[in-house]
């Protein structure tokens, strides 16, 4: 039954010896254990390059976007360098991040990696009751992950003391500058000990970031994930597209895309073993014949999986990069990146599984909104375009299924072996119209072949930003914050009943919004601050979320009236009231 394995099967990956393992990077066993439990099979390029110098205590300037594995790249060395069993409490590491969402995400990562080291990690951000943060700080912490505004608040209160800091990380530094946090960052760094290690990660390297690095980093190691070009292997000519989808909707989105594409056989790449196992189970539950392939499986298990794929009894292979290395399956028509690969090289290797020897291939990537930038990097490095497509809607799926039923009926008509059913049709036409009989038959055929109705919910479409929109890639003063930023879907203004007299600055408003909602600083348009109130331009679609978020918090320690601006575009009237329109930087 099992087809004989070919020499290209992933018995031992051909290039396994060349690839650096986490253990080769000098990480201690507690961390290696945590990584193995998470199913990470090998370090990503940024981890390979950043971990050794960071362990050695060097400063580092890294250009890396979300999706490259940058969080582990700095979290692992920081955890390793953390003195064990410290009884006292001032933090030894401070990570500054632009948003509440990222603060939570990064501290969760620290928890995951550092659980066997007993690391005490605390996220602090605006919007969360300060009392809880005070108590936690008081009990002692090793790592603080904070948004700049709230960190500065605590420093001013004397509740966050930076005297014991060994390392400061500025994560997504370009985004922090975009959000007007430059002064806050400067002020925080002033409080940090001079001899500390400083690490700066940024997706882009405009001149402002360079300036920040020159001022605060000492002889830093520079890492640029994009620089490894040109890509060693030329990217094959396959049709490449991507879908932007929130994490929670990924399994459903994958199902829909596969239904529309109808691959003969597809390989779906995941980042970790854990994800491979989880997704295989999910896809089997959805009626696909999916098989898992990862580095934790024995050779015999892998051979069996490959046999089933070749024999056509499986149509979906869910795999990690390590397991799929050197894999050559003729039937493969589609490569799906369930996550954006951690480097352009990895993308090229993955999509090289299809489109070989003149065969037609399709490469599909599911990217989370934050990973959009990584797609752009891949495009730039490979010199090939990745089209962003819309996730099929419920209506699209219905149409597609009807098309499939129609195709199946057409085939059946052409096959001409319908005689046994003639008697049914003839007897029914005594009673019913012929077309009606046909309709009933089509309905039964359709219902028998179409998957169940669990796909009936719409998957939200995430608006796609243009490559250069939102943040300057090089140089510049970030002039994009000016009013009237073009935006799809329209904007509206939110009125906030606090202004200059309350000491409100643009960065306070941005901090409050990004701290209280899932909105990124890049989505906030112009900000106008008057004496007694402020107006913030935000996308129409998220205005309500912002309003309810701001109503639940304080700005500069005060509760404010928050509502949609009733003036609409009566800007003339506002000018009469002594308005000041200002850029955020
Ligand atoms: P980041 O770029 O730090 O936001 O990380 C992106 C995602 O990759 C996170 O979900 C991590 O858990 C995951 N990740 C990071 N490093 C690895 C690795 N070496 N192997 C597998 N997954 C990883």
């Amino acid at each position: 039954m099992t087809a004989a394995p070919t020499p290209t099967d992933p018995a031992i990956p051909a290039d396994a010896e060349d690839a650096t393992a986490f253990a080769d990077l000098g990480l201690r066993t507690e961390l290696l254990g945590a990584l193995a439990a998470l199913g990470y099979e090998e370090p990503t390029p940024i981890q390979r390059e950043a971990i050794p110098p960071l362990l050695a205590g060097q400063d580092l300037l890294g250009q890396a976007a979300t999706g490259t594995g940058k969080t582990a790249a700095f979290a692992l060395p920081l955890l390793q360098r953390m003195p064990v069993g410290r009884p006292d409490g001032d933090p030894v590491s401070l990570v500054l991040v632009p948003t509440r969402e990222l603060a939570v995400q990064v501290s969760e990562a620290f928890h995951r990696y550092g659980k066997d080291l007993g690391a005490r990690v605390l996220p602090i951000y605006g919007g969360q009751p300060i009392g809880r943060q005070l108590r936690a700080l008081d009990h002692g912490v090793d790592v603080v992950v904070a948004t700049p505004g709230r960190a500065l608040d605590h420093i001013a209160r004397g509740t966050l003391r930076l005297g014991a800091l060994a390392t400061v990380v500025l994560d997504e530094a370009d985004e922090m500058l975009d959000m007007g946090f430059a002064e806050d960052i400067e002020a925080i760094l002033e409080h940090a000990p001079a001899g500390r290690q400083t690490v700066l990660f940024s997706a882009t390297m405009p001149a402002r970031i360079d300036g920040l690095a020159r001022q605060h980093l000492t002889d830093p190691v520079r890492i640029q994930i994009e620089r490894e070009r040109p890509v060693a292997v030329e990217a094959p000519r396959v049709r490449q597209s991507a879908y932007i989808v929130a994490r929670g909707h990924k399994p459903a989105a994958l199902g829909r895309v596969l239904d529309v594409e109808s691959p003969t056989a597809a390989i779906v790449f995941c980042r970790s073993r854990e994800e491979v196992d989880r997704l295989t189970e999910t896809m089997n539950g959805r009626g696909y014949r999916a098989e898992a392939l990862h580095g934790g499986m024995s050779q015999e298990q892998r051979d069996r999986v490959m046999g089933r794929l070749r024999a056509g009894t499986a149509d979906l292979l869910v795999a990690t990069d390590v397991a799929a290395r050197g894999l050559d399956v003729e039937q493969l028509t589609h490569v799906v990146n369930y996550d954006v690969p951690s480097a352009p090289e990895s993308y090229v290797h993955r999509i090289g599984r299809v489109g070989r020897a003149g065969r037609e291939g399709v490469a599909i990537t599911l990217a989370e909104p934050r990973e959009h930038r990584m797609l752009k990097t891949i495009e730039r490095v490979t010199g090939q375009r990745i089209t962003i497509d819309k996730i099929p809607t419920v209506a699209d799926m219905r149409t597609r299924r009807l098309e499939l039923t129609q195709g199946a009926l057409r085939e059946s008509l052409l096959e001409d072996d319908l005689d046994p059913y003639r008697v049914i049709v003839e007897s029914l036409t005594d009673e019913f119209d012929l077309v009606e009989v046909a309709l009933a038959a089509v309905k039964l055929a359709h219902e028998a072949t179409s998957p169940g109705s669990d796909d009936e919910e719409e998957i939200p479409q995430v608006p796609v930003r243009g490559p250069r929109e939102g943040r300057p890639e090089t140089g510049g003063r970030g002039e994009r914050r000016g009013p009237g930023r073009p935006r799809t879907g329209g904007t509206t203004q939110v009125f906030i009943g606090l202004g200059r007299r309350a000491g409100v600055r643009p960065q306070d408003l941005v901090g409050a919004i990004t701290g209280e909602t899932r909105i990124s600083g890049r989505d906030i348009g112009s900000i106008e601050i008057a004496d007694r109130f402020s107006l913030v331009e935000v996308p129409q679609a998220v205005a309500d979320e912002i309003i309810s978020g701001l109503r639940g918090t304080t700005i500069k320690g005060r509760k404010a009236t928050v509502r949609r601006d009733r003036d609409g575009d009566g800007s003339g009237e506002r000018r009469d009231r002594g308005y000041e329109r200002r850029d955020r930087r």
Side-chain angles (χ1 to χ4, degrees), residues 22 40 42-44 47 65-72 112-113 271-272:
F22 277 113
Y40 290 9
E42 59 178 357
T44 66
Q47 291 161 2
T66 297
T68 53
K70 68 180 162 63
T71 312
R112 275 200 303 274
Y113 305 139
R271 284 200 182 115
S272 65

Side-chain angles (χ1 to χ4, degrees), residues 487 489-494 526 536-544 547 564-565 568:
R487 194 185 305 281
T491 61
T492 188
Q493 282 190 311
V494 171
S526 67
V536 182
E537 182 194 21
V538 300
Q540 190 79 258
V542 294
D544 288 334
I547 291 168
R564 272 178 203 262
D565 180 31

Side-chain angles (χ1 to χ4, degrees), residues 381-397:
V381 174
T382 59
Q384 294 186 11
R385 222 183 118 68
I386 302 173
T387 321
I388 307 280
D389 284 336
K390 281 209 162 119
I391 297 164
T393 60
V394 171
D396 291 338
M397 296 314 294

Side-chain angles (χ1 to χ4, degrees), residues 495-504 509 528-535 558-563 577-580:
F495 171 96
I496 297 153
L498 288 173
R500 230 179 342 255
R501 294 222 178 136
V504 170
L509 299 174
E528 302 174 28
I529 298 185
D531 276 352
R532 295 175 183 280
F533 65 94
S534 308
L535 292 169
R558 297 171 59 174
K559 279 265 176 207
T561 309
V562 184
R563 54 170 165 76
R577 296 196 305 233
Y579 231 86
E580 186 178 313

Side-chain angles (χ1 to χ4, degrees), residues 365-425:
T365 303
L366 301 186
E368 287 169 51
R370 294 182 64 85
E371 293 171 335
H372 186 231
R373 179 161 294 276
M374 190 63 190
L375 283 182
K376 291 289 152 198
T377 301
I378 292 170
E379 274 192 327
R380 223 170 17 249
V381 174
T382 59
Q384 294 186 11
R385 222 183 118 68
I386 302 173
T387 321
I388 307 280
D389 284 336
K390 281 209 162 119
I391 297 164
T393 60
V394 171
D396 291 338
M397 296 314 294
R398 214 169 283 146
T399 309
R400 175 68 184 157
R401 288 191 193 115
L402 288 172
E403 274 170 17
L404 288 175
T405 301
Q406 186 176 355
L409 288 169
R410 169 177 279 274
E411 245 173 65
S412 176
L413 283 163
L414 291 173
E415 272 173 16
D416 193 24
D417 55 353
L418 301 171
D419 265 340
Y421 309 101
R422 190 172 291 277
V423 56
I424 299 180
V425 175

